[in-house]
PDB file of all heavy atoms in Angstrom:
ATOM      1  N   ASN A  84      10.519  -9.534 -15.055  1.00 93.00           N
ATOM      2  CA  ASN A  84       9.947  -9.604 -16.400  1.00 93.00           C
ATOM      3  C   ASN A  84       9.700  -8.247 -17.050  1.00 93.00           C
ATOM      4  O   ASN A  84       9.791  -8.120 -18.264  1.00 93.00           O
ATOM      5  CB  ASN A  84       8.650 -10.395 -16.388  1.00 93.00           C
ATOM      6  CG  ASN A  84       8.877 -11.874 -16.160  1.00 93.00           C
ATOM      7  OD1 ASN A  84       9.981 -12.376 -16.308  1.00 93.00           O
ATOM      8  ND2 ASN A  84       7.832 -12.578 -15.770  1.00 93.00           N
ATOM      9  N   TYR A  85       9.356  -7.241 -16.255  1.00 93.00           N
ATOM     10  CA  TYR A  85       8.950  -5.969 -16.839  1.00 93.00           C
ATOM     11  C   TYR A  85       9.910  -4.809 -16.564  1.00 93.00           C
ATOM     12  O   TYR A  85       9.824  -3.773 -17.207  1.00 93.00           O
ATOM     13  CB  TYR A  85       7.551  -5.586 -16.350  1.00 93.00           C
ATOM     14  CG  TYR A  85       6.494  -6.530 -16.866  1.00 93.00           C
ATOM     15  CD1 TYR A  85       6.050  -7.596 -16.084  1.00 93.00           C
ATOM     16  CD2 TYR A  85       5.968  -6.389 -18.144  1.00 93.00           C
ATOM     17  CE1 TYR A  85       5.095  -8.476 -16.561  1.00 93.00           C
ATOM     18  CE2 TYR A  85       5.018  -7.265 -18.627  1.00 93.00           C
ATOM     19  CZ  TYR A  85       4.580  -8.306 -17.832  1.00 93.00           C
ATOM     20  OH  TYR A  85       3.647  -9.180 -18.310  1.00 93.00           O
ATOM     21  N   PHE A  86      10.795  -4.974 -15.587  1.00 93.00           N
ATOM     22  CA  PHE A  86      11.683  -3.875 -15.207  1.00 93.00           C
ATOM     23  C   PHE A  86      13.149  -4.321 -15.154  1.00 93.00           C
ATOM     24  O   PHE A  86      13.953  -3.748 -14.440  1.00 93.00           O
ATOM     25  CB  PHE A  86      11.241  -3.279 -13.866  1.00 93.00           C
ATOM     26  CG  PHE A  86       9.827  -2.769 -13.902  1.00 93.00           C
ATOM     27  CD1 PHE A  86       8.784  -3.528 -13.372  1.00 93.00           C
ATOM     28  CD2 PHE A  86       9.522  -1.556 -14.497  1.00 93.00           C
ATOM     29  CE1 PHE A  86       7.479  -3.069 -13.428  1.00 93.00           C
ATOM     30  CE2 PHE A  86       8.222  -1.087 -14.552  1.00 93.00           C
ATOM     31  CZ  PHE A  86       7.189  -1.852 -14.021  1.00 93.00           C
ATOM     32  N   GLN A  87      13.492  -5.350 -15.909  1.00 93.00           N
ATOM     33  CA  GLN A  87      14.855  -5.870 -16.026  1.00 93.00           C
ATOM     34  C   GLN A  87      15.512  -6.085 -14.656  1.00 93.00           C
ATOM     35  O   GLN A  87      16.699  -5.842 -14.476  1.00 93.00           O
ATOM     36  CB  GLN A  87      15.722  -4.939 -16.884  1.00 93.00           C
ATOM     37  CG  GLN A  87      15.304  -4.827 -18.326  1.00 93.00           C
ATOM     38  CD  GLN A  87      14.057  -3.961 -18.514  1.00 93.00           C
ATOM     39  OE1 GLN A  87      13.938  -2.902 -17.923  1.00 93.00           O
ATOM     40  NE2 GLN A  87      13.130  -4.422 -19.325  1.00 93.00           N
ATOM     41  N   GLY A  88      14.713  -6.513 -13.685  1.00 91.00           N
ATOM     42  CA  GLY A  88      15.241  -6.813 -12.357  1.00 91.00           C
ATOM     43  C   GLY A  88      15.517  -5.596 -11.498  1.00 91.00           C
ATOM     44  O   GLY A  88      16.067  -5.725 -10.406  1.00 91.00           O
ATOM     45  N   SER A  89      15.118  -4.419 -11.954  1.00 90.00           N
ATOM     46  CA  SER A  89      15.420  -3.185 -11.228  1.00 90.00           C
ATOM     47  C   SER A  89      14.203  -2.680 -10.450  1.00 90.00           C
ATOM     48  O   SER A  89      13.223  -2.209 -11.045  1.00 90.00           O
ATOM     49  CB  SER A  89      15.890  -2.102 -12.202  1.00 90.00           C
ATOM     50  OG  SER A  89      15.953  -0.850 -11.556  1.00 90.00           O
ATOM     51  N   PHE A  90      14.295  -2.763  -9.136  1.00 84.00           N
ATOM     52  CA  PHE A  90      13.231  -2.235  -8.283  1.00 84.00           C
ATOM     53  C   PHE A  90      13.109  -0.725  -8.481  1.00 84.00           C
ATOM     54  O   PHE A  90      12.017  -0.173  -8.503  1.00 84.00           O
ATOM     55  CB  PHE A  90      13.513  -2.575  -6.816  1.00 84.00           C
ATOM     56  CG  PHE A  90      12.439  -2.100  -5.884  1.00 84.00           C
ATOM     57  CD1 PHE A  90      11.214  -2.731  -5.827  1.00 84.00           C
ATOM     58  CD2 PHE A  90      12.659  -1.011  -5.052  1.00 84.00           C
ATOM     59  CE1 PHE A  90      10.215  -2.286  -4.978  1.00 84.00           C
ATOM     60  CE2 PHE A  90      11.673  -0.566  -4.196  1.00 84.00           C
ATOM     61  CZ  PHE A  90      10.447  -1.204  -4.163  1.00 84.00           C
ATOM     62  N   LYS A  91      14.253  -0.076  -8.667  1.00 85.00           N
ATOM     63  CA  LYS A  91      14.265   1.374  -8.899  1.00 85.00           C
ATOM     64  C   LYS A  91      13.454   1.721 -10.145  1.00 85.00           C
ATOM     65  O   LYS A  91      12.675   2.677 -10.137  1.00 85.00           O
ATOM     66  CB  LYS A  91      15.705   1.868  -9.039  1.00 85.00           C
ATOM     67  CG  LYS A  91      15.825   3.346  -9.316  1.00 85.00           C
ATOM     68  CD  LYS A  91      17.283   3.746  -9.506  1.00 85.00           C
ATOM     69  CE  LYS A  91      17.369   5.170 -10.002  1.00 85.00           C
ATOM     70  NZ  LYS A  91      18.706   5.536 -10.410  1.00 85.00           N
ATOM     71  N   SER A  92      13.610   0.961 -11.211  1.00 89.00           N
ATOM     72  CA  SER A  92      12.855   1.202 -12.444  1.00 89.00           C
ATOM     73  C   SER A  92      11.360   1.009 -12.218  1.00 89.00           C
ATOM     74  O   SER A  92      10.543   1.766 -12.747  1.00 89.00           O
ATOM     75  CB  SER A  92      13.318   0.256 -13.557  1.00 89.00           C
ATOM     76  OG  SER A  92      14.631   0.545 -13.930  1.00 89.00           O
ATOM     77  N   MET A  93      10.994   0.006 -11.424  1.00 86.00           N
ATOM     78  CA  MET A  93       9.588  -0.225 -11.147  1.00 86.00           C
ATOM     79  C   MET A  93       8.982   0.946 -10.369  1.00 86.00           C
ATOM     80  O   MET A  93       7.916   1.445 -10.716  1.00 86.00           O
ATOM     81  CB  MET A  93       9.385  -1.521 -10.359  1.00 86.00           C
ATOM     82  CG  MET A  93       7.913  -1.830 -10.110  1.00 86.00           C
ATOM     83  SD  MET A  93       7.643  -3.311  -9.129  1.00 86.00           S
ATOM     84  CE  MET A  93       7.982  -2.676  -7.494  1.00 86.00           C
ATOM     85  N   VAL A  94       9.663   1.395  -9.331  1.00 81.00           N
ATOM     86  CA  VAL A  94       9.162   2.517  -8.534  1.00 81.00           C
ATOM     87  C   VAL A  94       9.066   3.766  -9.395  1.00 81.00           C
ATOM     88  O   VAL A  94       8.064   4.494  -9.345  1.00 81.00           O
ATOM     89  CB  VAL A  94      10.052   2.749  -7.295  1.00 81.00           C
ATOM     90  CG1 VAL A  94       9.660   4.025  -6.578  1.00 81.00           C
ATOM     91  CG2 VAL A  94       9.957   1.549  -6.352  1.00 81.00           C
ATOM     92  N   SER A  95      10.073   4.008 -10.206  1.00 84.00           N
ATOM     93  CA  SER A  95      10.075   5.164 -11.102  1.00 84.00           C
ATOM     94  C   SER A  95       8.885   5.107 -12.054  1.00 84.00           C
ATOM     95  O   SER A  95       8.216   6.116 -12.289  1.00 84.00           O
ATOM     96  CB  SER A  95      11.381   5.206 -11.889  1.00 84.00           C
ATOM     97  OG  SER A  95      11.368   6.268 -12.805  1.00 84.00           O
ATOM     98  N   PHE A  96       8.602   3.948 -12.590  1.00 86.00           N
ATOM     99  CA  PHE A  96       7.457   3.762 -13.480  1.00 86.00           C
ATOM    100  C   PHE A  96       6.162   4.146 -12.776  1.00 86.00           C
ATOM    101  O   PHE A  96       5.348   4.892 -13.312  1.00 86.00           O
ATOM    102  CB  PHE A  96       7.394   2.303 -13.953  1.00 86.00           C
ATOM    103  CG  PHE A  96       6.136   1.964 -14.703  1.00 86.00           C
ATOM    104  CD1 PHE A  96       6.030   2.253 -16.059  1.00 86.00           C
ATOM    105  CD2 PHE A  96       5.070   1.365 -14.055  1.00 86.00           C
ATOM    106  CE1 PHE A  96       4.866   1.936 -16.755  1.00 86.00           C
ATOM    107  CE2 PHE A  96       3.905   1.052 -14.749  1.00 86.00           C
ATOM    108  CZ  PHE A  96       3.802   1.337 -16.097  1.00 86.00           C
ATOM    109  N   PHE A  97       5.970   3.634 -11.555  1.00 81.00           N
ATOM    110  CA  PHE A  97       4.732   3.929 -10.841  1.00 81.00           C
ATOM    111  C   PHE A  97       4.631   5.397 -10.442  1.00 81.00           C
ATOM    112  O   PHE A  97       3.552   5.968 -10.450  1.00 81.00           O
ATOM    113  CB  PHE A  97       4.573   3.007  -9.629  1.00 81.00           C
ATOM    114  CG  PHE A  97       4.128   1.628 -10.019  1.00 81.00           C
ATOM    115  CD1 PHE A  97       5.004   0.565  -9.965  1.00 81.00           C
ATOM    116  CD2 PHE A  97       2.845   1.401 -10.476  1.00 81.00           C
ATOM    117  CE1 PHE A  97       4.606  -0.709 -10.349  1.00 81.00           C
ATOM    118  CE2 PHE A  97       2.430   0.141 -10.871  1.00 81.00           C
ATOM    119  CZ  PHE A  97       3.308  -0.921 -10.809  1.00 81.00           C
ATOM    120  N   VAL A  98       5.739   6.010 -10.135  1.00 81.00           N
ATOM    121  CA  VAL A  98       5.727   7.441  -9.807  1.00 81.00           C
ATOM    122  C   VAL A  98       5.314   8.244 -11.039  1.00 81.00           C
ATOM    123  O   VAL A  98       4.481   9.144 -10.961  1.00 81.00           O
ATOM    124  CB  VAL A  98       7.109   7.896  -9.284  1.00 81.00           C
ATOM    125  CG1 VAL A  98       7.211   9.416  -9.237  1.00 81.00           C
ATOM    126  CG2 VAL A  98       7.366   7.309  -7.904  1.00 81.00           C
ATOM    127  N   GLN A  99       5.865   7.902 -12.190  1.00 84.00           N
ATOM    128  CA  GLN A  99       5.565   8.639 -13.428  1.00 84.00           C
ATOM    129  C   GLN A  99       4.139   8.409 -13.924  1.00 84.00           C
ATOM    130  O   GLN A  99       3.507   9.326 -14.431  1.00 84.00           O
ATOM    131  CB  GLN A  99       6.547   8.248 -14.529  1.00 84.00           C
ATOM    132  CG  GLN A  99       7.953   8.705 -14.278  1.00 84.00           C
ATOM    133  CD  GLN A  99       8.928   8.156 -15.310  1.00 84.00           C
ATOM    134  OE1 GLN A  99       8.531   7.578 -16.310  1.00 84.00           O
ATOM    135  NE2 GLN A  99      10.210   8.332 -15.051  1.00 84.00           N
ATOM    136  N   LYS A 100       3.625   7.208 -13.787  1.00 82.00           N
ATOM    137  CA  LYS A 100       2.339   6.850 -14.396  1.00 82.00           C
ATOM    138  C   LYS A 100       1.125   7.016 -13.474  1.00 82.00           C
ATOM    139  O   LYS A 100       0.007   7.059 -13.950  1.00 82.00           O
ATOM    140  CB  LYS A 100       2.358   5.398 -14.888  1.00 82.00           C
ATOM    141  CG  LYS A 100       3.402   5.115 -15.922  1.00 82.00           C
ATOM    142  CD  LYS A 100       3.103   5.833 -17.212  1.00 82.00           C
ATOM    143  CE  LYS A 100       4.163   5.503 -18.244  1.00 82.00           C
ATOM    144  NZ  LYS A 100       4.033   6.292 -19.439  1.00 82.00           N
ATOM    145  N   ASN A 101       1.338   7.100 -12.189  1.00 74.00           N
ATOM    146  CA  ASN A 101       0.192   7.032 -11.278  1.00 74.00           C
ATOM    147  C   ASN A 101       0.022   8.222 -10.356  1.00 74.00           C
ATOM    148  O   ASN A 101      -0.678   8.124  -9.362  1.00 74.00           O
ATOM    149  CB  ASN A 101       0.281   5.742 -10.440  1.00 74.00           C
ATOM    150  CG  ASN A 101       0.110   4.527 -11.306  1.00 74.00           C
ATOM    151  OD1 ASN A 101      -0.842   4.425 -12.047  1.00 74.00           O
ATOM    152  ND2 ASN A 101       1.054   3.600 -11.231  1.00 74.00           N
ATOM    153  N   ASP A 102       0.651   9.336 -10.653  1.00 71.00           N
ATOM    154  CA  ASP A 102       0.497  10.532  -9.825  1.00 71.00           C
ATOM    155  C   ASP A 102       0.636  10.206  -8.337  1.00 71.00           C
ATOM    156  O   ASP A 102      -0.256  10.469  -7.530  1.00 71.00           O
ATOM    157  CB  ASP A 102      -0.862  11.198 -10.073  1.00 71.00           C
ATOM    158  CG  ASP A 102      -0.987  11.731 -11.488  1.00 71.00           C
ATOM    159  OD1 ASP A 102       0.036  12.168 -12.041  1.00 71.00           O
ATOM    160  OD2 ASP A 102      -2.101  11.708 -12.037  1.00 71.00           O
ATOM    161  N   VAL A 103       1.753   9.606  -7.974  1.00 77.00           N
ATOM    162  CA  VAL A 103       2.004   9.233  -6.588  1.00 77.00           C
ATOM    163  C   VAL A 103       2.158  10.499  -5.757  1.00 77.00           C
ATOM    164  O   VAL A 103       2.868  11.433  -6.134  1.00 77.00           O
ATOM    165  CB  VAL A 103       3.269   8.347  -6.479  1.00 77.00           C
ATOM    166  CG1 VAL A 103       3.598   8.043  -5.032  1.00 77.00           C
ATOM    167  CG2 VAL A 103       3.072   7.069  -7.260  1.00 77.00           C
ATOM    168  N   ASP A 104       1.485  10.548  -4.641  1.00 79.00           N
ATOM    169  CA  ASP A 104       1.518  11.687  -3.742  1.00 79.00           C
ATOM    170  C   ASP A 104       2.876  11.764  -3.042  1.00 79.00           C
ATOM    171  O   ASP A 104       3.466  10.747  -2.690  1.00 79.00           O
ATOM    172  CB  ASP A 104       0.392  11.527  -2.707  1.00 79.00           C
ATOM    173  CG  ASP A 104       0.228  12.741  -1.841  1.00 79.00           C
ATOM    174  OD1 ASP A 104      -0.386  13.725  -2.318  1.00 79.00           O
ATOM    175  OD2 ASP A 104       0.709  12.709  -0.693  1.00 79.00           O
ATOM    176  N   VAL A 105       3.372  12.982  -2.822  1.00 78.00           N
ATOM    177  CA  VAL A 105       4.665  13.196  -2.157  1.00 78.00           C
ATOM    178  C   VAL A 105       4.658  12.570  -0.763  1.00 78.00           C
ATOM    179  O   VAL A 105       5.653  11.977  -0.332  1.00 78.00           O
ATOM    180  CB  VAL A 105       4.991  14.707  -2.092  1.00 78.00           C
ATOM    181  CG1 VAL A 105       6.241  14.952  -1.263  1.00 78.00           C
ATOM    182  CG2 VAL A 105       5.166  15.277  -3.485  1.00 78.00           C
ATOM    183  N   LYS A 106       3.535  12.646  -0.061  1.00 85.00           N
ATOM    184  CA  LYS A 106       3.449  12.049   1.278  1.00 85.00           C
ATOM    185  C   LYS A 106       3.623  10.531   1.209  1.00 85.00           C
ATOM    186  O   LYS A 106       4.243   9.939   2.088  1.00 85.00           O
ATOM    187  CB  LYS A 106       2.120  12.409   1.940  1.00 85.00           C
ATOM    188  CG  LYS A 106       2.038  13.866   2.331  1.00 85.00           C
ATOM    189  CD  LYS A 106       0.726  14.193   2.998  1.00 85.00           C
ATOM    190  CE  LYS A 106       0.676  15.689   3.306  1.00 85.00           C
ATOM    191  NZ  LYS A 106      -0.580  16.085   3.911  1.00 85.00           N
ATOM    192  N   ASP A 107       3.072   9.922   0.166  1.00 84.00           N
ATOM    193  CA  ASP A 107       3.239   8.475   0.000  1.00 84.00           C
ATOM    194  C   ASP A 107       4.708   8.117  -0.211  1.00 84.00           C
ATOM    195  O   ASP A 107       5.202   7.132   0.328  1.00 84.00           O
ATOM    196  CB  ASP A 107       2.415   7.962  -1.186  1.00 84.00           C
ATOM    197  CG  ASP A 107       0.921   8.001  -0.931  1.00 84.00           C
ATOM    198  OD1 ASP A 107       0.511   8.008   0.248  1.00 84.00           O
ATOM    199  OD2 ASP A 107       0.158   8.012  -1.916  1.00 84.00           O
ATOM    200  N   ILE A 108       5.409   8.918  -1.004  1.00 81.00           N
ATOM    201  CA  ILE A 108       6.835   8.677  -1.246  1.00 81.00           C
ATOM    202  C   ILE A 108       7.619   8.827   0.058  1.00 81.00           C
ATOM    203  O   ILE A 108       8.511   8.024   0.351  1.00 81.00           O
ATOM    204  CB  ILE A 108       7.377   9.633  -2.332  1.00 81.00           C
ATOM    205  CG1 ILE A 108       6.731   9.284  -3.677  1.00 81.00           C
ATOM    206  CG2 ILE A 108       8.896   9.547  -2.430  1.00 81.00           C
ATOM    207  CD1 ILE A 108       7.030  10.261  -4.781  1.00 81.00           C
ATOM    208  N   GLU A 109       7.276   9.838   0.866  1.00 86.00           N
ATOM    209  CA  GLU A 109       7.955  10.031   2.148  1.00 86.00           C
ATOM    210  C   GLU A 109       7.735   8.831   3.067  1.00 86.00           C
ATOM    211  O   GLU A 109       8.667   8.375   3.736  1.00 86.00           O
ATOM    212  CB  GLU A 109       7.476  11.319   2.810  1.00 86.00           C
ATOM    213  CG  GLU A 109       7.969  12.574   2.108  1.00 86.00           C
ATOM    214  CD  GLU A 109       7.351  13.854   2.661  1.00 86.00           C
ATOM    215  OE1 GLU A 109       6.422  13.784   3.493  1.00 86.00           O
ATOM    216  OE2 GLU A 109       7.809  14.935   2.237  1.00 86.00           O
ATOM    217  N   VAL A 110       6.528   8.299   3.093  1.00 88.00           N
ATOM    218  CA  VAL A 110       6.235   7.121   3.915  1.00 88.00           C
ATOM    219  C   VAL A 110       7.058   5.926   3.433  1.00 88.00           C
ATOM    220  O   VAL A 110       7.628   5.188   4.240  1.00 88.00           O
ATOM    221  CB  VAL A 110       4.721   6.802   3.904  1.00 88.00           C
ATOM    222  CG1 VAL A 110       4.437   5.450   4.522  1.00 88.00           C
ATOM    223  CG2 VAL A 110       3.936   7.891   4.619  1.00 88.00           C
ATOM    224  N   LEU A 111       7.131   5.743   2.111  1.00 82.00           N
ATOM    225  CA  LEU A 111       7.936   4.651   1.557  1.00 82.00           C
ATOM    226  C   LEU A 111       9.408   4.798   1.919  1.00 82.00           C
ATOM    227  O   LEU A 111      10.065   3.831   2.303  1.00 82.00           O
ATOM    228  CB  LEU A 111       7.792   4.595   0.035  1.00 82.00           C
ATOM    229  CG  LEU A 111       6.485   4.031  -0.504  1.00 82.00           C
ATOM    230  CD1 LEU A 111       6.397   4.249  -2.010  1.00 82.00           C
ATOM    231  CD2 LEU A 111       6.369   2.553  -0.185  1.00 82.00           C
ATOM    232  N   LEU A 112       9.928   6.017   1.799  1.00 83.00           N
ATOM    233  CA  LEU A 112      11.331   6.257   2.145  1.00 83.00           C
ATOM    234  C   LEU A 112      11.583   5.982   3.631  1.00 83.00           C
ATOM    235  O   LEU A 112      12.619   5.411   3.983  1.00 83.00           O
ATOM    236  CB  LEU A 112      11.733   7.688   1.796  1.00 83.00           C
ATOM    237  CG  LEU A 112      11.879   7.987   0.306  1.00 83.00           C
ATOM    238  CD1 LEU A 112      12.086   9.478   0.069  1.00 83.00           C
ATOM    239  CD2 LEU A 112      13.005   7.167  -0.301  1.00 83.00           C
ATOM    240  N   ASP A 113      10.654   6.374   4.492  1.00 88.00           N
ATOM    241  CA  ASP A 113      10.786   6.067   5.922  1.00 88.00           C
ATOM    242  C   ASP A 113      10.832   4.554   6.154  1.00 88.00           C
ATOM    243  O   ASP A 113      11.659   4.083   6.948  1.00 88.00           O
ATOM    244  CB  ASP A 113       9.630   6.682   6.713  1.00 88.00           C
ATOM    245  CG  ASP A 113       9.750   8.199   6.859  1.00 88.00           C
ATOM    246  OD1 ASP A 113      10.848   8.740   6.621  1.00 88.00           O
ATOM    247  OD2 ASP A 113       8.736   8.842   7.210  1.00 88.00           O
TER     248      ASP A 113
END
Side-chain angles (χ1 to χ4, degrees):
N84 289 343
Y85 293 96
F86 302 100
Q87 295 75 44
S89 169
F90 182 73
K91 179 183 171 190
S92 294
M93 183 182 79
V94 172
S95 177
F96 171 83
F97 283 107
V98 167
Q99 292 173 10
K100 300 293 181 188
N101 293 308
D102 295 327
V103 176
D104 187 79
V105 173
K106 290 181 183 178
D107 290 338
I108 293 172
E109 289 173 352
V110 169
L111 285 171
L112 288 172
D113 286 344

